[in-house]
Amino acid sequence: MKVLVAIKRVIDYAVPVRVKADKSGVEALLPKMSMNPFCEIALEEAVRLKERGIAKEVLAVSLGPQQVQDTLRQALGLGADRALHVQHDGELQPLAVAKLLAAVARKEQPGLCLLGKQAIDDDCNQTGQMLAALLGWPQATFASKVEVDAAAGQARVTREVDGGLEHLALRLPAVITTDLRLNTPRFVSLPNAMKAKKKPIESATPSALGTDPSPRLITVEVNAPPARKSGVIVGSVEELVEKLRTEAKVL
């Protein structure tokens, strides 16, 4: 069974960001990019499936400018067998990403597509669901546990929900998006990082995949959240209740 893993290059989670002067988006204060943490979890799960003999091949796919190849090299170092770069220098919104991934999936015929539940830059949480709809495949989102029986063509997924745990059974091929508690991603070892530098990265374009990635939505304006007011120390429960009633107006 082949596993397709979608990888996104994002501003590193530890890097502070600010709203651009023209309010068209955000920019990083330091030039550091990394693999989206939820994508790392999806890739780790795919590699573990290969290590258990369930998956035969792990294909990492990333979309964007030339720089995403650095992230694909990291994916190869973490255990992916192949890497595919869909080249596009413009904005890529979730629907366009889903369409491009669907085109790749139709060509590669994976038994399972693994994606992070969301990217930490836009927090859309849409691509996996849209991909499943475009392919007509079953889907399970926010997976905290994944069990795959390739011989039976089934997968069992555990999801954390407000009331406890939800268990789903899916027929393969399927789309699964990963949550934080699914696994702990490994680090790239130095030997594997050196080997990854020598591995080829396949390339494709949206036009070659028969897809138009033009944006459907326009960002009108991006604003930073309002600054929080400093807290105060109250002297008694009565004073707290009074402030909640008259100032916060929550009582």
Side-chain angles (χ1 to χ4, degrees), residues 163-225:
L165 298 177
E166 181 180 42
H167 304 279
L168 302 176
L170 312 174
R171 290 191 179 276
L172 300 178
V175 176
I176 297 175
T177 68
T178 59
D179 209 342
L180 280 174
R181 277 172 284 278
L182 179 59
N183 59 53
T184 301
R186 68 193 70 189
F187 293 100
V188 182
S189 66
L190 181 59
N192 287 340
M194 299 303 294
K195 292 177 184 177
K197 290 183 178 180
K198 300 178 181 179
K199 291 184 178 180
I201 295 179
E202 304 166 42
S203 63
T205 61
S207 58
L209 295 171
T211 301
D212 178 11
S214 300
R216 301 293 187 91
L217 305 174
I218 298 174
T219 300
V220 178
E221 189 174 273
V222 176
N223 290 289

Side-chain angles (χ1 to χ4, degrees), residues 30-49:
L30 297 172
K32 184 180 180 182
M33 307 292 285
S34 63
M35 186 185 301
N36 178 49
F38 292 104
C39 297
E40 283 189 274
I41 294 170
L43 178 61
E44 174 67 24
E45 193 65 20
V47 173
R48 292 186 185 191
L49 289 173

Side-chain angles (χ1 to χ4, degrees), residues 5-9 60-64 68-69 71-72 83-87 101:
V5 183
I7 302 294
K8 186 175 184 181
R9 179 176 180 263
V61 181
S62 191
L63 297 70
V68 305
Q69 291 200 7
T71 309
L72 285 172
L84 173 63
H85 173 206
V86 180
Q87 302 174 1
L101 291 175

